Amino acid sequence: MCVAMPGIVKKIDGSTAVVNFSGNEVNAHVGLVDVQVDDYVLVHAGCVIQKVKKTEAEEIIELMGGM
């Protein structure tokens, strides 16, 4: 089972986004989902696979932070 942490899109350059996960920034391909800067997203295998509502993302981050 995989558990994905939401990250926030900080920058988009063409088909690549810089996504911040609690201070760790990773590049992710955005061709599958239409995203904008400041969107919360889930990333799998280097690709953004889903946008997440801010309230849901914050709840998941809080829950996972306690682990």
Side-chain angles (χ1 to χ4, degrees):
M1 177 174 97
C2 292
V3 177
M5 287 288 291
I8 188 166
V9 176
K10 293 306 217 176
K11 177 181 172 184
I12 300 172
D13 184 13
S15 63
T16 302
V18 175
V19 183
N20 184 296
F21 296 93
S22 300
N24 295 318
E25 291 189 341
V26 299
N27 292 327
H29 182 68
V30 294
L32 301 173
V33 180
D34 182 31
V35 299
Q36 298 178 17
V37 171
D38 293 331
D39 282 345
Y40 282 87
V41 297
L42 301 180
V43 175
H44 178 71
C47 296
V48 174
I49 59 169
Q50 181 179 345
K51 287 199 302 191
V52 181
K53 292 179 184 176
K54 182 179 179 181
T55 54
E56 292 174 3
E58 290 171 343
E59 184 178 325
I60 292 167
I61 291 167
E62 183 179 338
L63 288 170
M64 296 299 285
M67 298 182 106

